[in-house]
Amino acid sequence: MKRFGKRSFALLLLSCFMLINVACSNTPTAGETTVAAGSEPAKEPVKVVWWHSMSGELGTVADKLISDFNAAHQDIQVEGVFQGTYDESLNKLKASLGSNSGPTMIQVYEIGSRFMMDTKAIRPVQDFMDAEAYDISSLEPNIKNYYTFDDKLYSMPFNSSNPILYYNKDAFKAAGLDPENPPKTYEEVAEAAKALTKGGQTGTSFAIYGWFMEQFLANQGVELLNNGNGRTSPATASQVNNAAAVKTLEWWKQMLDDKVLLNLGRKTDDTKKAFAAGQVAMTLDSTASLRGIVSAAEGKFEVGTAFLPKPADGGEGGVIIGGASLWLMNNKSEEEQQAAWEFMKYLAEPQTQAYWHVNTGYFPVTTKAYEESLVKENLEKYPQFQTAVDQLHQTTANLATQGAVMGVFPEARQLTETAIEEVLNGQKTPQEALDKAAQDISSKIETYNKTVK
């Protein structure tokens, strides 16, 4: 038998050690998987960052939608990021423009539409709709119309609302008013408010909210801006000092002078609390607040809902869609944009919109959602929702109800609120206050228009 020398034995040991080491390195450890020869590694899912402004219960529902989508789409993972109020979120987007630090898609309130288009930083969702012949026939016409410019849908409708009149049915009965026949006109609201003001209760209270003035005008078929409400061509001047607006403020102020309207300032939360406490018998608020308002009054009184009032001689109109839509940023890869589009389509599906509507109070953006059992059951439980649906469907389509568009809408709304405050505080007449507001808004529009040319 041949003997090994010390050197040969050492080489043999080294060879054995290397073979063992190679074998061990190729053995998967716990949690690892091997990749078969010639196969590709597992592809990472496409990440979509969605900036939104849904907080509290609304945020919880939004998170559920994101979670459900991610579970059903292993190739896409959506990350929802709360960015504060609509104003705060839009300011953060402005700061991110020109860099890659912004989101894939963002939820923007309806009055931010003109600004979003003017940024040139977005991609119209119409591009994706055309590419796959996406059917939009079931989208609510009034909602679709708001976000359509030059026959092109720029953003995807998501959460939509409009204002309605809420009233205390028990208080109506006690005042000798018919709880099934709520006031429809300015004149009827004023008369009802007088009858309802007694025993520490005031007839009504409206928050000082520019949105309400916009809606009061649209409900009479009156445009807020020139150039077809900024739709036939970019607006150059405000028309908030028109006769319909003056008449609205005169009515509002007269009820205050008659001590049948309580002025609680700009916060709708304050008027909601006063209504729930029985301090006021009528108020205006968004349809998105319906569930909360009905719940707050539960066990105390029955809540009735009615269409937004208008003057007895008011023209044909209706409500403008409030809420927000989803915008796609154009500085992301085609793959990321396509993934965001898939998420947008999911959010617009009837089942998704039914769940969103029932759990938030926002309108479904698709008429097919009303065929879902979830929505039908909710309408049985909360028949007050039918008022909001009927008001939306009975709105006359025109440039007034399609909604005004301008790049300085947030600032314009604040100036309108200042004018309302000045009138209610007795500082100016309705005409004086609205003339000043129109002048200031027009000046801001002029400055803005120069920056986007």
Side-chain angles (χ1 to χ4, degrees):
M1 184 175 183
K2 185 176 179 181
R3 293 178 179 272
F4 287 101
K6 288 182 180 179
R7 186 168 181 273
S8 298
F9 184 75
L11 288 171
L12 180 63
L13 285 175
L14 180 61
S15 298
C16 289
F17 176 79
M18 290 176 68
L19 286 170
I20 292 169
N21 192 49
V22 168
C24 288
S25 68
N26 289 331
T27 302
T29 59
E32 289 183 343
T33 55
T34 56
V35 178
S39 68
E40 295 271 334
K43 190 177 179 182
E44 288 290 320
V46 179
K47 184 177 180 181
V48 171
V49 177
W50 176 31
W51 284 8
H52 66 77
S53 296
M54 300 288 92
S55 60
E57 292 180 0
L58 299 178
T60 300
V61 181
D63 288 342
K64 175 73 164 56
L65 297 182
I66 293 170
S67 176
D68 288 352
F69 176 84
N70 287 342
H73 297 78
Q74 297 303 308
D75 57 333
I76 303 171
Q77 289 296 288
V78 176
E79 178 189 355
V81 184
F82 174 67
Q83 293 288 6
T85 64
Y86 290 133
D87 282 325
E88 290 167 344
S89 180
L90 195 58
N91 285 335
K92 289 177 183 178
L93 181 72
K94 290 175 183 178
S96 76
L97 294 177
S99 73
N100 203 38
S101 62
T104 319
M105 55 183 276
I106 181 172
Q107 178 191 29
V108 178
Y109 54 4
E110 85 284 17
I111 62 172
S113 297
R114 178 80 262 168
F115 171 80
M116 290 301 292
M117 290 187 291
D118 289 339
T119 64
K120 307 293 192 296
I122 59 95
R123 184 174 179 183
V125 295
Q126 191 74 51
D127 291 358
F128 294 91
M129 292 175 173
D130 292 344
E132 61 183 69
Y134 179 76
D135 183 13
I136 61 172
S137 61
S138 69
L139 283 179
E140 281 281 6
N142 288 330
I143 298 175
K144 180 172 60 180
N145 287 347
Y146 188 96
Y147 297 109
T148 298
F149 304 90
D150 300 323
D151 297 322
K152 182 183 291 188
L153 199 61
Y154 272 75
S155 59
M156 193 67 161
F158 174 52
N159 57 305
S160 295
S161 61
N162 60 50
I164 55 177
L165 180 74
Y166 292 87
Y167 65 98
N168 182 329
K169 282 192 168 186
D170 293 28
F172 266 57
K173 290 176 188 174
L177 300 172
D178 184 356
E180 303 309 321
N181 185 28
K184 300 177 181 64
T185 66
Y186 285 4
E187 295 82 0
E188 289 174 357
V189 168
E191 284 303 309
K194 289 175 183 176
L196 291 161
T197 301
K198 60 180 181 178
Q201 175 184 266
T202 304
T204 190
S205 181
F206 307 153
I208 297 173
Y209 191 8
W211 188 49
F212 293 157
M213 179 60 82
E214 296 153 25
Q215 297 284 355
F216 281 136
L217 296 185
N219 206 22
Q220 301 173 63
V222 177
E223 294 164 20
L224 184 69
L225 302 170
N226 69 347
N227 297 338
N229 241 355
R231 296 227 174 225
T232 56
S233 62
T236 59
S238 169
Q239 297 177 168
V240 75
N241 58 338
N242 57 48
V246 171
K247 185 171 185 175
T248 297
L249 259 189
E250 287 174 343
W251 161 68
W252 198 331
K253 178 62 161 64
Q254 188 60 56
M255 286 192 291
L256 181 65
D257 290 345
D258 291 342
K259 297 182 172 52
V260 299
L261 178 141
L262 194 60
N263 178 19
L264 295 173
R266 297 194 186 199
K267 295 181 180 178
T268 54
D269 276 351
D270 292 337
T271 50
K272 267 190 285 211
K273 288 173 184 173
F275 180 72
Q279 188 180 359
V280 298
M282 296 183 291
T283 192
L284 294 176
D285 215 307
S286 169
T287 52
S289 298
L290 195 151
R291 279 285 289 274
I293 288 174
V294 172
S295 297
E298 197 168 356
K300 293 184 284 188
F301 61 87
E302 185 181 356
V303 176
T305 53
F307 282 18
L308 187 73
K310 66 179 181 180
D313 60 353
E316 285 294 311
V319 288
I320 313 166
I321 281 302
S325 62
L326 306 174
W327 294 78
L328 187 62
M329 308 309 294
N330 63 15
N331 64 338
K332 305 299 180 183
S333 69
E334 184 66 28
E335 184 181 43
E336 193 173 328
Q337 291 182 44
Q338 187 64 48
W341 167 239
E342 291 301 318
F343 181 53
M344 287 184 182
K345 287 193 293 183
Y346 160 77
L347 292 178
E349 288 175 1
Q351 299 92 331
T352 310
Q353 278 294 306
Y355 182 84
W356 176 249
H357 162 67
V358 167
N359 287 279
T360 65
Y362 283 110
F363 281 115
V365 300
T366 170
T367 56
K368 288 183 178 179
Y370 294 106
E371 300 169 14
E372 297 290 318
S373 59
L374 192 63
V375 173
K376 292 177 181 178
E377 291 165 7
N378 186 64
L379 274 173
E380 287 181 13
K381 187 175 181 182
Y382 298 100
Q384 297 94 337
F385 270 113
Q386 192 63 51
T387 300
V389 174
D390 291 345
Q391 180 174 243
L392 176 68
H393 291 165
Q394 291 179 31
T395 288
T396 301
N398 54 37
L399 289 172
T401 58
Q402 192 176 3
V405 282
M406 56 178 150
V408 293
F409 218 137
E411 299 94 321
R413 186 171 281 178
Q414 289 173 8
L415 286 166
T416 301
E417 289 166 5
T418 297
I420 297 170
E421 266 178 345
E422 289 172 339
V423 171
L424 298 182
N425 292 337
Q427 296 168 277
K428 291 180 181 176
T429 67
Q431 190 70 66
E432 289 169 345
L434 291 172
D435 281 346
K436 182 65 165 64
Q439 180 184 346
D440 291 345
I441 294 168
S442 298
S443 177
K444 286 185 178 296
I445 292 173
E446 182 182 5
T447 300
Y448 174 85
N449 287 348
K450 289 176 181 176
T451 67
V452 294
K453 286 182 179 178

